[in-house]
Amino acid sequence: WRRQFYGDIAHGMKIVDLFEFHPVWMAYTENHVSLPEMFGTVLKSFREMGLFEDIMQAGQRRPAQVGLWFSETGDIWGSSGGAGKRALYIAILGTQHPLDFVIEQDALAGTLAVFKALYLTEGHVSHASAKKIAAGVKEGGKLFATAGAGMFDEYNQPNKDLRELMGVEQLALEAPADSQVGFIKQALPFAK
């Protein structure tokens, strides 16, 4: 809990919502805390935060240098990247580059230029967003795309802009059922 708490502060958290901070016999959901040690840990963490809260509230995160793409189009078609995207997120954080999430509205508003690199895992990217991504790369930005990323548009048609940009023509994408990873910690050790 402390690692998550301080990690969230480092990533710009300003407000803490403990949601349902009750013992199991008082909780309405599965989000309960019953161990006295946990209550003590949270109290200790809040007291520590009180020592620098004025700095935290006045502070700002460094501007992001890299972006991780999230799109409604990928969510609609079920091609958002799942566990692969979560693992990529952890890997990017390990590089110590300030990271931000990029959504389609950001691309359409023209804010992609602030990123040195954009990471893409979604198999589906809208036509309008693909044009903006391609323009950003042509202006000097870098695009990191995982297997099958950006191959289709919002109508499940070949995404010509991104295929041309990456120089890829997808004929097939092999994804055997026995090698799918939904949750990294529990599925990856057993995947073929």
Side-chain angles (χ1 to χ4, degrees):
W1 190 88
R2 286 173 57 81
R3 187 178 333 131
Q4 179 72 49
F5 179 72
Y6 281 104
D8 290 343
I9 289 173
H11 285 92
M13 175 183 70
K14 303 230 182 228
I15 298 171
V16 181
D17 181 0
L18 295 176
F19 184 56
E20 188 168 34
F21 200 62
H22 304 295
V24 68
W25 54 86
M26 292 178 60
Y28 293 100
T29 69
E30 72 281 359
N31 301 307
H32 55 79
V33 177
S34 298
L35 296 175
E37 296 86 0
M38 186 58 154
F39 285 101
T41 298
V42 171
L43 179 61
K44 179 181 178 184
S45 299
F46 280 147
R47 286 181 175 160
E48 289 171 353
M49 185 181 71
L51 299 172
F52 57 83
E53 186 176 12
D54 57 331
I55 297 168
M56 183 179 105
Q57 292 298 328
Q60 294 183 31
R61 291 179 57 217
R62 292 182 295 161
Q65 296 175 353
V66 296
L68 181 58
W69 185 265
F70 282 79
S71 75
E72 290 179 22
T73 305
D75 289 341
I76 290 168
W77 286 101
S79 66
S80 61
K85 182 182 277 184
R86 291 188 296 274
L88 184 58
Y89 169 75
I90 293 167
I92 296 167
L93 288 180
T95 67
Q96 300 297 309
H97 288 101
L99 169 70
D100 203 354
F101 300 123
V102 182
I103 58 174
E104 288 178 282
Q105 288 79 3
D106 295 331
L108 300 177
T111 58
L112 289 180
V114 301
F115 299 106
K116 293 179 181 176
L118 179 66
Y119 290 82
L120 177 66
T121 63
E122 269 94 348
H124 293 77
V125 176
S126 72
H127 181 69
S129 296
K131 283 193 168 306
K132 295 288 186 172
I133 292 170
V137 171
K138 289 175 183 166
E139 292 172 9
K142 293 186 177 34
L143 176 65
F144 175 93
T146 60
M151 293 292 106
F152 299 96
D153 65 13
E154 65 267 39
Y155 303 109
N156 201 31
Q157 298 300 311
N159 194 324
K160 294 176 184 153
D161 293 310
L162 289 179
R163 287 178 182 220
E164 181 181 307
L165 175 70
M166 294 186 272
V168 173
E169 187 60 41
Q170 180 173 307
L171 302 176
L173 181 62
E174 291 185 31
D178 63 349
S179 64
Q180 298 303 305
V181 175
F183 295 100
I184 299 168
K185 288 183 188 177
Q186 70 186 38
L188 190 58
F190 306 103
K192 292 185 179 178

mmCIF file of all heavy atoms in Angstrom, residues 22-49:
data_model
loop_
_atom_site.group_PDB
_atom_site.id
_atom_site.type_symbol
_atom_site.label_atom_id
_atom_site.label_comp_id
_atom_site.label_asym_id
_atom_site.label_seq_id
_atom_site.Cartn_x
_atom_site.Cartn_y
_atom_site.Cartn_z
ATOM 1 N N HIS A 22 -13.397 0.421 5.622
ATOM 2 C CA HIS A 22 -14.109 -0.184 6.737
ATOM 3 C C HIS A 22 -13.685 -1.635 6.895
ATOM 4 O O HIS A 22 -13.236 -2.261 5.947
ATOM 5 C CB HIS A 22 -15.625 -0.174 6.492
ATOM 6 C CG HIS A 22 -16.210 1.152 6.218
ATOM 7 N ND1 HIS A 22 -16.243 2.171 7.130
ATOM 8 C CD2 HIS A 22 -16.797 1.656 5.099
ATOM 9 C CE1 HIS A 22 -16.829 3.229 6.603
ATOM 10 N NE2 HIS A 22 -17.168 2.951 5.363
ATOM 11 N N PRO A 23 -13.902 -2.208 8.075
ATOM 12 C CA PRO A 23 -13.686 -3.656 8.218
ATOM 13 C C PRO A 23 -14.730 -4.425 7.404
ATOM 14 O O PRO A 23 -15.768 -3.880 7.042
ATOM 15 C CB PRO A 23 -13.853 -3.910 9.713
ATOM 16 C CG PRO A 23 -14.079 -2.598 10.359
ATOM 17 C CD PRO A 23 -14.240 -1.554 9.315
ATOM 18 N N VAL A 24 -14.455 -5.689 7.164
ATOM 19 C CA VAL A 24 -15.312 -6.497 6.303
ATOM 20 C C VAL A 24 -16.760 -6.543 6.787
ATOM 21 O O VAL A 24 -17.690 -6.565 5.989
ATOM 22 C CB VAL A 24 -14.722 -7.929 6.127
ATOM 23 C CG1 VAL A 24 -14.775 -8.703 7.430
ATOM 24 C CG2 VAL A 24 -15.417 -8.673 5.008
ATOM 25 N N TRP A 25 -16.985 -6.529 8.083
ATOM 26 C CA TRP A 25 -18.360 -6.622 8.590
ATOM 27 C C TRP A 25 -19.156 -5.335 8.399
ATOM 28 O O TRP A 25 -20.356 -5.331 8.593
ATOM 29 C CB TRP A 25 -18.367 -7.039 10.063
ATOM 30 C CG TRP A 25 -17.530 -6.171 10.966
ATOM 31 C CD1 TRP A 25 -17.894 -5.017 11.578
ATOM 32 C CD2 TRP A 25 -16.170 -6.391 11.310
ATOM 33 N NE1 TRP A 25 -16.856 -4.494 12.288
ATOM 34 C CE2 TRP A 25 -15.765 -5.324 12.147
ATOM 35 C CE3 TRP A 25 -15.243 -7.373 10.996
ATOM 36 C CZ2 TRP A 25 -14.486 -5.221 12.674
ATOM 37 C CZ3 TRP A 25 -13.971 -7.259 11.526
ATOM 38 C CH2 TRP A 25 -13.616 -6.194 12.356
ATOM 39 N N MET A 26 -18.492 -4.245 8.010
ATOM 40 C CA MET A 26 -19.198 -2.984 7.748
ATOM 41 C C MET A 26 -19.192 -2.610 6.273
ATOM 42 O O MET A 26 -19.863 -1.671 5.871
ATOM 43 C CB MET A 26 -18.544 -1.848 8.528
ATOM 44 C CG MET A 26 -18.714 -1.936 10.018
ATOM 45 S SD MET A 26 -17.863 -0.595 10.877
ATOM 46 C CE MET A 26 -18.646 0.837 10.217
ATOM 47 N N ALA A 27 -18.426 -3.325 5.474
ATOM 48 C CA ALA A 27 -18.235 -2.946 4.078
ATOM 49 C C ALA A 27 -19.402 -3.406 3.205
ATOM 50 O O ALA A 27 -19.977 -4.463 3.428
ATOM 51 C CB ALA A 27 -16.933 -3.548 3.558
ATOM 52 N N TYR A 28 -19.716 -2.601 2.215
ATOM 53 C CA TYR A 28 -20.774 -2.931 1.269
ATOM 54 C C TYR A 28 -20.219 -3.600 0.019
ATOM 55 O O TYR A 28 -20.972 -4.113 -0.801
ATOM 56 C CB TYR A 28 -21.548 -1.676 0.867
ATOM 57 C CG TYR A 28 -22.333 -1.095 2.010
ATOM 58 C CD1 TYR A 28 -21.857 -0.003 2.723
ATOM 59 C CD2 TYR A 28 -23.541 -1.663 2.387
ATOM 60 C CE1 TYR A 28 -22.580 0.513 3.783
ATOM 61 C CE2 TYR A 28 -24.269 -1.155 3.447
ATOM 62 C CZ TYR A 28 -23.781 -0.054 4.138
ATOM 63 O OH TYR A 28 -24.507 0.438 5.178
ATOM 64 N N THR A 29 -18.917 -3.562 -0.170
ATOM 65 C CA THR A 29 -18.293 -4.174 -1.336
ATOM 66 C C THR A 29 -17.121 -5.035 -0.882
ATOM 67 O O THR A 29 -16.855 -5.167 0.312
ATOM 68 C CB THR A 29 -17.765 -3.106 -2.313
ATOM 69 O OG1 THR A 29 -16.651 -2.442 -1.724
ATOM 70 C CG2 THR A 29 -18.844 -2.098 -2.668
ATOM 71 N N GLU A 30 -16.404 -5.578 -1.846
ATOM 72 C CA GLU A 30 -15.228 -6.386 -1.517
ATOM 73 C C GLU A 30 -14.030 -5.514 -1.131
ATOM 74 O O GLU A 30 -12.987 -6.022 -0.746
ATOM 75 C CB GLU A 30 -14.856 -7.287 -2.707
ATOM 76 C CG GLU A 30 -14.256 -6.573 -3.884
ATOM 77 C CD GLU A 30 -15.266 -5.847 -4.778
ATOM 78 O OE1 GLU A 30 -16.475 -5.893 -4.530
ATOM 79 O OE2 GLU A 30 -14.811 -5.220 -5.733
ATOM 80 N N ASN A 31 -14.156 -4.221 -1.229
ATOM 81 C CA ASN A 31 -13.065 -3.296 -0.898
ATOM 82 C C ASN A 31 -13.106 -2.953 0.579
ATOM 83 O O ASN A 31 -13.629 -1.936 0.979
ATOM 84 C CB ASN A 31 -13.189 -2.014 -1.728
ATOM 85 C CG ASN A 31 -13.143 -2.313 -3.195
ATOM 86 O OD1 ASN A 31 -12.227 -2.961 -3.656
ATOM 87 N ND2 ASN A 31 -14.136 -1.876 -3.925
ATOM 88 N N HIS A 32 -12.543 -3.815 1.373
ATOM 89 C CA HIS A 32 -12.572 -3.597 2.815
ATOM 90 C C HIS A 32 -11.166 -3.739 3.389
ATOM 91 O O HIS A 32 -10.268 -4.286 2.769
ATOM 92 C CB HIS A 32 -13.520 -4.586 3.492
ATOM 93 C CG HIS A 32 -13.199 -6.011 3.171
ATOM 94 N ND1 HIS A 32 -12.178 -6.708 3.777
ATOM 95 C CD2 HIS A 32 -13.758 -6.856 2.279
ATOM 96 C CE1 HIS A 32 -12.131 -7.923 3.280
ATOM 97 N NE2 HIS A 32 -13.066 -8.045 2.370
ATOM 98 N N VAL A 33 -11.007 -3.219 4.589
ATOM 99 C CA VAL A 33 -9.743 -3.337 5.320
ATOM 100 C C VAL A 33 -10.089 -3.878 6.698
ATOM 101 O O VAL A 33 -10.865 -3.267 7.422
ATOM 102 C CB VAL A 33 -9.048 -1.961 5.448
ATOM 103 C CG1 VAL A 33 -7.792 -2.073 6.269
ATOM 104 C CG2 VAL A 33 -8.755 -1.389 4.079
ATOM 105 N N SER A 34 -9.522 -5.007 7.041
ATOM 106 C CA SER A 34 -9.836 -5.608 8.332
ATOM 107 C C SER A 34 -8.634 -5.724 9.255
ATOM 108 O O SER A 34 -8.791 -5.885 10.453
ATOM 109 C CB SER A 34 -10.446 -6.996 8.132
ATOM 110 O OG SER A 34 -11.656 -6.897 7.405
ATOM 111 N N LEU A 35 -7.422 -5.658 8.718
ATOM 112 C CA LEU A 35 -6.226 -5.832 9.538
ATOM 113 C C LEU A 35 -5.865 -4.540 10.272
ATOM 114 O O LEU A 35 -5.727 -3.484 9.652
ATOM 115 C CB LEU A 35 -5.043 -6.251 8.668
ATOM 116 C CG LEU A 35 -5.170 -7.610 7.983
ATOM 117 C CD1 LEU A 35 -3.989 -7.825 7.059
ATOM 118 C CD2 LEU A 35 -5.258 -8.713 9.022
ATOM 119 N N PRO A 36 -5.679 -4.598 11.581
ATOM 120 C CA PRO A 36 -5.272 -3.402 12.329
ATOM 121 C C PRO A 36 -3.947 -2.825 11.804
ATOM 122 O O PRO A 36 -3.753 -1.615 11.806
ATOM 123 C CB PRO A 36 -5.115 -3.904 13.766
ATOM 124 C CG PRO A 36 -5.955 -5.134 13.835
ATOM 125 C CD PRO A 36 -5.925 -5.737 12.466
ATOM 126 N N GLU A 37 -3.055 -3.700 11.314
ATOM 127 C CA GLU A 37 -1.774 -3.225 10.788
ATOM 128 C C GLU A 37 -1.976 -2.307 9.580
ATOM 129 O O GLU A 37 -1.224 -1.357 9.377
ATOM 130 C CB GLU A 37 -0.875 -4.402 10.380
ATOM 131 C CG GLU A 37 -0.458 -5.289 11.525
ATOM 132 C CD GLU A 37 -1.481 -6.383 11.843
ATOM 133 O OE1 GLU A 37 -2.544 -6.472 11.183
ATOM 134 O OE2 GLU A 37 -1.221 -7.151 12.786
ATOM 135 N N MET A 38 -2.992 -2.588 8.775
ATOM 136 C CA MET A 38 -3.256 -1.763 7.601
ATOM 137 C C MET A 38 -3.751 -0.390 8.011
ATOM 138 O O MET A 38 -3.343 0.622 7.449
ATOM 139 C CB MET A 38 -4.268 -2.453 6.687
ATOM 140 C CG MET A 38 -4.474 -1.717 5.393
ATOM 141 S SD MET A 38 -2.905 -1.540 4.514
ATOM 142 C CE MET A 38 -3.492 -1.413 2.878
ATOM 143 N N PHE A 39 -4.621 -0.343 9.015
ATOM 144 C CA PHE A 39 -5.082 0.956 9.512
ATOM 145 C C PHE A 39 -3.890 1.768 10.015
ATOM 146 O O PHE A 39 -3.788 2.964 9.755
ATOM 147 C CB PHE A 39 -6.119 0.776 10.629
ATOM 148 C CG PHE A 39 -7.472 0.366 10.145
ATOM 149 C CD1 PHE A 39 -7.880 -0.956 10.231
ATOM 150 C CD2 PHE A 39 -8.340 1.292 9.596
ATOM 151 C CE1 PHE A 39 -9.141 -1.342 9.789
ATOM 152 C CE2 PHE A 39 -9.598 0.922 9.139
ATOM 153 C CZ PHE A 39 -9.987 -0.405 9.237
ATOM 154 N N GLY A 40 -2.967 1.112 10.716
ATOM 155 C CA GLY A 40 -1.771 1.787 11.213
ATOM 156 C C GLY A 40 -0.873 2.273 10.083
ATOM 157 O O GLY A 40 -0.315 3.374 10.156
ATOM 158 N N THR A 41 -0.727 1.481 9.045
ATOM 159 C CA THR A 41 0.101 1.863 7.894
ATOM 160 C C THR A 41 -0.470 3.078 7.189
ATOM 161 O O THR A 41 0.257 3.998 6.822
ATOM 162 C CB THR A 41 0.227 0.683 6.911
ATOM 163 O OG1 THR A 41 0.876 -0.396 7.572
ATOM 164 C CG2 THR A 41 0.998 1.064 5.671
ATOM 165 N N VAL A 42 -1.778 3.099 7.015
ATOM 166 C CA VAL A 42 -2.422 4.235 6.354
ATOM 167 C C VAL A 42 -2.277 5.491 7.214
ATOM 168 O O VAL A 42 -1.935 6.567 6.705
ATOM 169 C CB VAL A 42 -3.899 3.926 6.051
ATOM 170 C CG1 VAL A 42 -4.641 5.161 5.567
ATOM 171 C CG2 VAL A 42 -4.002 2.802 5.031
ATOM 172 N N LEU A 43 -2.490 5.370 8.518
ATOM 173 C CA LEU A 43 -2.333 6.510 9.420
ATOM 174 C C LEU A 43 -0.899 7.042 9.367
ATOM 175 O O LEU A 43 -0.679 8.250 9.253
ATOM 176 C CB LEU A 43 -2.704 6.112 10.841
ATOM 177 C CG LEU A 43 -2.565 7.203 11.902
ATOM 178 C CD1 LEU A 43 -3.470 8.384 11.590
ATOM 179 C CD2 LEU A 43 -2.869 6.642 13.288
ATOM 180 N N LYS A 44 0.079 6.149 9.437
ATOM 181 C CA LYS A 44 1.485 6.549 9.370
ATOM 182 C C LYS A 44 1.785 7.259 8.048
ATOM 183 O O LYS A 44 2.463 8.297 8.020
ATOM 184 C CB LYS A 44 2.382 5.322 9.521
ATOM 185 C CG LYS A 44 3.856 5.627 9.432
ATOM 186 C CD LYS A 44 4.694 4.365 9.573
ATOM 187 C CE LYS A 44 6.173 4.720 9.420
ATOM 188 N NZ LYS A 44 7.014 3.543 9.450
ATOM 189 N N SER A 45 1.264 6.738 6.947
ATOM 190 C CA SER A 45 1.503 7.340 5.626
ATOM 191 C C SER A 45 0.905 8.740 5.535
ATOM 192 O O SER A 45 1.519 9.656 4.996
ATOM 193 C CB SER A 45 0.923 6.450 4.530
ATOM 194 O OG SER A 45 1.538 5.183 4.546
ATOM 195 N N PHE A 46 -0.313 8.913 6.082
ATOM 196 C CA PHE A 46 -0.926 10.237 6.056
ATOM 197 C C PHE A 46 -0.162 11.229 6.925
ATOM 198 O O PHE A 46 -0.027 12.396 6.578
ATOM 199 C CB PHE A 46 -2.392 10.165 6.487
ATOM 200 C CG PHE A 46 -3.315 9.700 5.399
ATOM 201 C CD1 PHE A 46 -4.429 8.962 5.687
ATOM 202 C CD2 PHE A 46 -3.075 10.013 4.073
ATOM 203 C CE1 PHE A 46 -5.294 8.525 4.697
ATOM 204 C CE2 PHE A 46 -3.919 9.595 3.069
ATOM 205 C CZ PHE A 46 -5.028 8.852 3.385
ATOM 206 N N ARG A 47 0.340 10.764 8.034
ATOM 207 C CA ARG A 47 1.138 11.656 8.893
ATOM 208 C C ARG A 47 2.436 12.054 8.187
ATOM 209 O O ARG A 47 2.869 13.195 8.277
ATOM 210 C CB ARG A 47 1.426 10.988 10.224
ATOM 211 C CG ARG A 47 0.196 10.947 11.111
ATOM 212 C CD ARG A 47 0.470 10.312 12.441
ATOM 213 N NE ARG A 47 -0.696 10.409 13.297
ATOM 214 C CZ ARG A 47 -0.901 9.642 14.343
ATOM 215 N NH1 ARG A 47 -0.013 8.718 14.677
ATOM 216 N NH2 ARG A 47 -1.980 9.785 15.072
ATOM 217 N N GLU A 48 3.054 11.107 7.489
ATOM 218 C CA GLU A 48 4.263 11.435 6.713
ATOM 219 C C GLU A 48 3.933 12.427 5.606
ATOM 220 O O GLU A 48 4.678 13.377 5.377
ATOM 221 C CB GLU A 48 4.856 10.161 6.102
ATOM 222 C CG GLU A 48 5.485 9.234 7.103
ATOM 223 C CD GLU A 48 5.866 7.891 6.504
ATOM 224 O OE1 GLU A 48 5.527 7.612 5.334
ATOM 225 O OE2 GLU A 48 6.509 7.103 7.228
ATOM 226 N N MET A 49 2.810 12.210 4.928
ATOM 227 C CA MET A 49 2.415 13.111 3.856
ATOM 228 C C MET A 49 2.174 14.522 4.398
ATOM 229 O O MET A 49 2.442 15.509 3.710
ATOM 230 C CB MET A 49 1.157 12.596 3.167
ATOM 231 C CG MET A 49 0.760 13.435 1.956
ATOM 232 S SD MET A 49 -0.742 12.854 1.152
ATOM 233 C CE MET A 49 -1.984 13.318 2.351
#
